[in-house]
Amino acid sequence: MAVLGAAGHVSMRWKRVSTGDSTARSILESSGELIVRVEGKNRISTDARLRVRSFGSAVESFRVRLPRGMELVPTSPVGYRVEVVSDPATSMMEADSSKRPAQVVEVRLDRPTNSVIEVRLLAALVPDSQNGGMALEPAEFDVLGAVRQRGTVDFVVEGDWNLSWTEDSSVRRIDAETDVASPA
């Protein structure tokens, strides 16, 4: 095996795993295409189309943490079921709503599979939520336990709203017009 472009030595090892070994578990990777729709200050929703892949045993289910301040919008999926396993409404008794946990949903497949799993999750801003004064992160869909997650986020903004965001090391902006030729 040759590894090109590596800075230094790379060590890779394989080992045989018996079928009864508990280490033969699913290792998940996730990619997604998200559309965040802003219709007003209290009308924000996200349509997340996630592709989850297993590098290991067949997947029967996995969990996704939804963006804080948003909740699952029920749909009628085919081939899988989506169920809320933790609900921020259970901690509404807390005085500080900024500490309210994000909703977690479980995606349970009709049949275990080793192939790429495609699911669609809809989430909307919790009605009458002030979100504790926190910045809303409507694209923060987290497939729990995934070793790698990536994707794209598109924003649809209606009316006179402007978006403002902060960048961190995990996010980079890609301009749609990268192929525009510069004037001669």
Side-chain angles (χ1 to χ4, degrees), residues 65-168:
R65 182 181 304 116
L66 302 182
R68 188 179 305 276
M70 298 185 88
E71 62 184 17
L72 182 71
V73 175
T75 60
S76 300
V78 176
Y80 61 92
R81 293 183 322 273
V82 180
E83 178 180 308
V84 176
V85 292
S86 74
D87 188 345
T90 59
S91 24
M92 289 298 281
M93 300 299 195
E94 291 184 27
D96 184 1
S97 64
S98 67
K99 293 182 180 178
R100 189 172 36 177
Q103 193 176 61
V104 175
V105 298
E106 183 171 53
V107 176
R108 184 161 298 281
L109 307 175
D110 291 347
R111 281 180 258 129
T113 184
N114 282 327
S115 62
V116 175
I117 304 151
E118 294 189 20
V119 299
R120 180 178 179 219
L121 299 175
L122 297 175
L125 189 65
V126 175
D128 301 322
S129 170
Q130 297 303 314
N131 209 25
M134 295 174 22
L136 181 64
E137 297 180 4
E140 192 175 339
F141 284 74
D142 183 17
V143 176
L144 301 178
V147 295
R148 180 177 177 188
Q149 299 189 58
R150 64 182 185 277
T152 59
V153 181
D154 292 322
F155 288 89
V156 177
V157 182
E158 297 180 11
D160 293 337
W161 292 96
N162 290 316
L163 293 180
S164 174
W165 61 85
T166 56
E167 294 182 26
D168 64 23

Side-chain angles (χ1 to χ4, degrees), residues 6 18 23 26 28 32 35 42 46 68 85 88 95 109-110 115-116 174 183:
S18 68
T23 60
S26 297
L28 302 177
I35 298 174
N42 294 315
T46 304
R68 188 179 305 276
V85 292
L109 307 175
D110 291 347
S115 62
V116 175
I174 300 174

Side-chain angles (χ1 to χ4, degrees), residues 1-82:
M1 175 184 298
V3 178
L4 303 176
H9 287 88
V10 175
S11 175
M12 298 177 107
R13 296 190 173 110
W14 287 264
K15 73 176 190 173
R16 186 172 308 276
V17 177
S18 68
T19 56
D21 191 346
S22 64
T23 60
R25 58 177 169 58
S26 297
I27 298 172
L28 302 177
E29 175 185 71
S30 170
S31 64
E33 296 163 356
L34 291 86
I35 298 174
V36 177
R37 186 172 307 278
V38 180
E39 298 175 53
K41 181 178 180 181
N42 294 315
R43 292 191 52 177
I44 300 171
S45 62
T46 304
D47 184 347
R49 296 175 188 267
L50 304 175
R51 285 180 303 286
V52 178
R53 181 177 176 195
S54 171
F55 297 97
S57 64
V59 175
E60 295 179 28
S61 67
F62 58 91
R63 292 184 175 192
V64 179
R65 182 181 304 116
L66 302 182
R68 188 179 305 276
M70 298 185 88
E71 62 184 17
L72 182 71
V73 175
T75 60
S76 300
V78 176
Y80 61 92
R81 293 183 322 273
V82 180

